[in-house]
Amino acid sequence: MDVLMVYALFATFTPLFLWIEYRKMAIIQLPLIVGMWSFLIIEIGALTVHPIIYGLSLSLLVINILYAHAGLVVGLVNDSKMRGKLDDMSKAVSRTS
């Protein structure tokens, strides 16, 4: 459950990284974040809900997992500025080891 909470925090902050250059992608992810947190509240609170609501929130969680990974790849790897920073960091790490 701890891993799921950490992932939920990362997925929640993903639209902030995408907002400037990929605003449409960030807006699409907002309802997915709401569904993800609703699922986590249902699970952590051990709430009894209708199976359709449970299935919908679980589906939004899974879709958000896939979409957040795609968003991070687009935002971090495909962005030329970020790619330059990642290259500089990897060079600095390789020099120290």
Side-chain angles (χ1 to χ4, degrees):
M1 191 59 120
D2 294 337
V3 173
L4 191 58
M5 288 300 294
V6 170
Y7 179 77
L9 291 174
F10 281 124
T12 301
F13 293 123
T14 301
L16 296 175
F17 298 123
L18 299 173
W19 189 255
I20 294 173
E21 294 175 2
Y22 303 100
R23 189 167 297 192
K24 189 183 240 185
M25 197 171 188
I27 291 172
I28 291 171
Q29 190 176 7
L30 294 177
L32 299 175
I33 292 172
V34 171
M36 174 188 65
W37 281 105
S38 68
F39 177 77
L40 290 174
I41 290 169
I42 291 168
E43 282 296 312
I44 292 171
L47 302 175
T48 304
V49 295
H50 196 274
I52 293 175
I53 294 173
Y54 186 82
L56 179 65
S57 62
L58 179 61
S59 300
L60 289 175
L61 171 76
V62 171
I63 293 169
N64 191 29
I65 288 171
L66 298 174
Y67 199 80
H69 280 290
L72 284 174
V73 167
V74 167
L76 296 178
V77 177
N78 289 339
D79 186 20
S80 60
K81 293 178 197 173
M82 187 56 72
R83 191 171 45 232
K85 290 179 185 178
L86 291 173
D87 289 340
D88 292 342
M89 286 182 356
S90 66
K91 288 176 187 175
V93 168
S94 64
R95 279 185 268 170
T96 59
S97 31

